[in-house]
Amino acid sequence: MPEDTLTIIDNRTGKQYQLPIMYGTYPNYGSAIHTIDLRQIKASDGDFGLLSYDPGLSNTASCKSAITFVDGERGILRYRGYLIQELATKSNFLEVSYLLLHGRLPTQTELDEWIWHITHHTIVHENIKKFMEGFRYDAHPMGILVSTVAALSTFYPEARNITDPEVRKRQIYRLIAKMPTLAAFAYRHSVGLPYTYPDNDLSYAGNFLNMMFKTVESKYILHPLLERTLEVLFILHADHEQNCSTTTMRNAGSSHPDPYVSVAAAAASLFGPLHGGANEQVLRMLSEIKSKDRVPEYLKRVKAGEFRLMGFGHRIYKNYDPRANILKDMTAQVLEVTGKNVLFDIALELERIALEDEYFIKHKLYPNVDFYSGILYKAMGFPVEMFPVLFAIPRTAGWLAQWLEMLGDTEQKIIRPRQVYVGADTRNYIEIKNRK
Ligand code: ACO
């Protein structure tokens, strides 16, 4: 008998089936059966065959991917094989985007060319500005971003030709380049400030900070530490394998629309508080705790099940989220520049006590990326409404890498799951006058 198989006995029929097991790079982390092999398992001749039931797809591999590796038990995150800690200290966001999209680090010439293309696609059509003006004065910047990135589809009709690699490449330049411009315009619209145009002399993060915060000064002075911090935040948020928004990107993209509308769909998924909105909840929680000495009392209420400790726990990480570690150190450095923040002191105390507490140890609850990112964004001057927008900008690189990988994967098809129908059996239509 071959070793790498799974034997299933159907107790309804007594029949036995052998299903092959497939493996990824690590045999003990990512083995799977093809669920279509379950279809042959039938209780009778007329039976459709067995399906697998998995709400939330929490135990379903929807694709093979060579982009990002996460080992949640050991707290490991790698893009294309490179440890996130190394990329966060040695690389920059545009190089990481190249890596995610091309599968390898660029040479100097390739990187220069890549940066040139992104830098020269940052301006948006003037009609986009008019489009933005149509939003109410208090429109949420994430709502504006989702709508305007979808609207880009109407400016670049060639983008629908997704089978042409050159066309795809141009849309990738445009999307990575224009997301910060749309994001900054969305913010400035929401506070009634005139839009600041992109500045080609600045870095990716520097240009975004400039478009966000430049007011009447002839030259906005960028603080190098804040610029680097945003660059690192962008690196840490660039991809995280098959999460909710990335799965949406693949789902929407599987029917082959242009990438602008697929990115809009993915960004819409990111907007929800269960995904891109958790760091805002962390800030609210820290503000509610108010002072360090109230931490033990707050944790008591968490343990009593009154509410969850925001920024703690993760579906995948059952160990320290490596991104949280990096951000913890950066928060301390940034606060040296921007000024002391009582919320950070409360966060440190919360983390210290929680990590020693039996409840958190038993439930394998560690700080996640959102525990410190909100404090950092706030210290840098971003309003909380911008938090999901700040997530969407770098994640666009990951969404596009996953989209490209999907288009090149001959095993991928239009997403069309099955269901287990639990509704009524056939019923006869009753004329309205006869209904009770
Ligand atoms: N505080 C207190 N207890 C918690 C927490 C928490 N933050 N998270 C999980 N638990 C407990 C649950 O009560 C449950 O306990 P029980 O088994 O005694 O009933 C157990 O841990 C398992 O919880 P699940 O909800 O089943 O775990 P899951 O992996 O589905 O949840 C999630 C992950 C949603 C992130 C959860 O940890 C949570 O709600 N955290 C707070 C919100 C948050 O920080 N979200 C950001 C995630 S990171 C990101 O999206 C980028």
Side-chain angles (χ1 to χ4, degrees), residues 16-221:
Q16 187 170 310
Y17 303 85
Q18 263 182 31
L19 312 189
I21 294 174
M22 61 174 280
Y23 297 101
T25 303
Y26 306 108
N28 57 355
Y29 205 91
S31 51
I33 57 161
H34 291 265
T35 47
I36 195 70
D37 289 345
L38 298 173
R39 191 74 70 76
Q40 60 183 305
I41 305 178
K42 300 180 183 204
S44 61
D45 279 349
D47 188 347
F48 180 77
L50 206 61
L51 302 172
S52 65
Y53 178 62
D54 187 9
L57 304 181
S58 55
N59 199 46
T60 293
S62 59
C63 61
K64 291 177 190 160
S65 182
I67 301 173
T68 292
F69 174 74
V70 182
D71 178 342
E73 293 297 325
R74 292 188 292 156
I76 295 171
L77 169 60
R78 295 189 211 118
Y79 296 160
R80 300 283 189 185
Y82 296 96
L83 270 175
I84 194 69
Q85 291 86 342
E86 207 174 359
L87 293 172
T89 42
K90 297 182 182 161
S91 189
N92 57 61
F93 173 69
L94 284 183
E95 186 180 59
V96 167
S97 305
Y98 186 100
L99 171 69
L100 288 169
L101 281 148
H102 296 81
R104 59 176 178 78
L105 287 168
T107 62
Q108 188 63 57
T109 315
E110 287 167 335
L111 182 62
D112 293 346
E113 202 182 305
W114 172 246
I115 293 174
W116 190 91
H117 281 298
I118 303 290
T119 311
H120 287 80
H121 281 93
T122 48
I123 291 178
V124 291
H125 194 288
E126 283 293 290
N127 282 0
I128 282 282
K129 271 174 51 188
K130 291 195 195 133
F131 186 75
M132 290 223 174
E133 277 155 22
F135 288 100
R136 270 177 58 127
Y137 68 96
D138 59 351
H140 195 291
M142 192 63 173
I144 301 182
L145 182 74
V146 169
S147 316
T148 47
V149 72
L152 288 183
S153 159
T154 64
F155 290 84
Y156 307 108
E158 62 157 6
R160 290 202 288 276
N161 184 9
I162 57 156
T163 52
D164 183 331
E166 282 306 310
V167 172
R168 286 201 301 253
K169 205 196 283 180
R170 265 198 301 282
Q171 314 322 312
I172 288 170
Y173 294 147
R174 286 179 175 139
L175 271 160
I176 294 178
K178 293 182 201 310
M179 281 299 265
T181 315
L182 295 177
F185 282 17
Y187 163 69
R188 293 180 77 102
H189 173 83
S190 68
V191 288
L193 280 170
Y195 305 136
T196 302
Y197 282 71
D199 182 339
N200 283 4
D201 292 336
L202 300 175
S203 69
Y204 191 82
N207 174 50
F208 178 59
L209 287 169
N210 188 58
M211 289 190 292
M212 279 288 299
F213 298 123
K214 183 177 187 309
T215 45
V216 291
E217 64 277 51
S218 53
K219 198 85 192 158
Y220 172 75
I221 309 288

